[in-house]
Amino acid sequence: MFKKHSTIFKKYLLILAYEERNARSVALLIRALIRASHPPPAWHYLIPFKFVFEFLSARREIRKFSMDFLFLRKLVLDAARDIGEGGNRQVRDAEVEGSIRKWCSSNKLYSESMHQKQLALAALLFDHYSALLKAEGKSYESLIRGAYKTRAGYESFLRKLTAAEREIDQAVVEMRGGDAGLRAQISIKQQAINTIREKQ
């Protein structure tokens, strides 16, 4: 379906690599923030092989978070790439919508409101990725500069992205009955994402 050596493909790889690095950075920071707020007792480190278990647990958590964080981004980036190379927009939009519906249902997070919020985030990401795929540049940073021209333009996108993500987070908390533990976890996730974005 995709052309392997097109200019768009090279930009696609730059964007995908950035999103994968970003997901891992957010996951690592979330883990660090949780550990800082709930440090293990000193005796914890005296248990034989505890470090190995911690390491493996961390790897699983990071992989799981990255997969969830990247699901919508990869889905939309693939669609933007396909359309940029001449694919049918209506067909790809329908595929994205169906995949989002299926993902929400499989995670027991489906409601019409949640579906619409996910679609709104997908539309925002689609415009972002489409602009990056049309921009000139040989690095992710140069694609950002080419697509947004000014810092204010990029910051405006990040504000909209953060707002859309937070609407989804709030909907998740409400669907889970306002669970305080989940709310705390989401707050830490939002803090980590904000920290990473501020560095950008």
Side-chain angles (χ1 to χ4, degrees):
M1 178 168 58
F2 294 139
K3 299 169 188 169
K4 293 293 184 185
H5 301 292
S6 69
T7 303
I8 285 180
F9 178 68
K10 292 173 185 174
K11 295 174 187 176
Y12 166 89
L13 291 179
L14 290 173
I15 298 164
L16 181 59
Y18 164 79
E19 292 292 8
E20 288 173 343
R21 285 193 310 273
N22 189 52
R24 181 171 173 78
S25 295
V26 171
L28 287 168
L29 185 52
I30 288 171
R31 188 167 174 82
L33 290 170
I34 290 172
R35 300 271 300 184
S37 61
H38 298 92
W43 58 263
H44 182 90
Y45 298 103
L46 301 175
I47 301 173
F49 305 113
K50 187 67 177 175
F51 173 78
V52 174
F53 294 137
E54 284 285 322
F55 176 74
L56 293 175
S57 174
R59 286 185 62 181
R60 282 193 299 272
E61 288 174 16
I62 290 166
R63 190 181 305 116
K64 174 69 168 65
F65 176 86
S66 295
M67 286 175 60
D68 288 344
F69 191 78
L70 287 171
F71 166 75
L72 187 61
R73 286 161 173 78
K74 177 76 164 51
L75 180 69
V76 175
L77 178 56
D78 285 347
R81 176 187 167 194
D82 184 37
I83 292 164
E85 293 182 336
N88 185 293
R89 174 72 188 263
Q90 287 184 319
V91 170
R92 289 302 268 158
D93 281 351
E95 289 173 355
V96 167
E97 182 177 356
S99 294
I100 290 172
R101 186 184 299 274
K102 184 177 178 182
W103 185 86
C104 288
S105 296
S106 68
N107 285 279
K108 297 181 173 56
L109 287 171
Y110 184 80
S111 72
E112 191 54 37
S113 174
M114 172 64 85
H115 190 226
Q116 291 305 313
K117 291 179 194 305
Q118 293 278 358
L119 289 176
L121 177 56
L124 182 63
L125 288 170
F126 180 84
D127 290 345
H128 171 65
Y129 293 142
S130 295
L132 294 184
L133 291 170
K134 290 173 187 171
E136 294 298 321
K138 295 186 177 180
S139 68
Y140 180 80
E141 292 73 19
S142 62
L143 292 179
I144 289 289
R145 287 192 293 271
Y148 288 95
K149 310 302 182 192
T150 66
R151 176 175 174 164
Y154 185 51
E155 286 178 341
S156 175
F157 160 71
L158 290 178
R159 282 194 298 273
K160 291 174 186 173
L161 180 62
T162 298
E165 290 169 339
R166 290 193 171 199
E167 280 198 24
I168 291 170
D169 288 342
Q170 181 59 35
V172 169
V173 171
E174 290 171 3
M175 292 179 78
R176 295 288 191 248
D179 180 78
L182 176 61
R183 194 181 295 277
Q185 289 174 6
I186 285 178
S187 177
I188 288 173
K189 182 193 82 169
Q190 291 173 348
Q191 183 183 345
I193 290 172
N194 284 346
T195 299
I196 299 292
R197 286 182 183 158
E198 283 170 9
K199 289 179 180 178
Q200 294 173 353

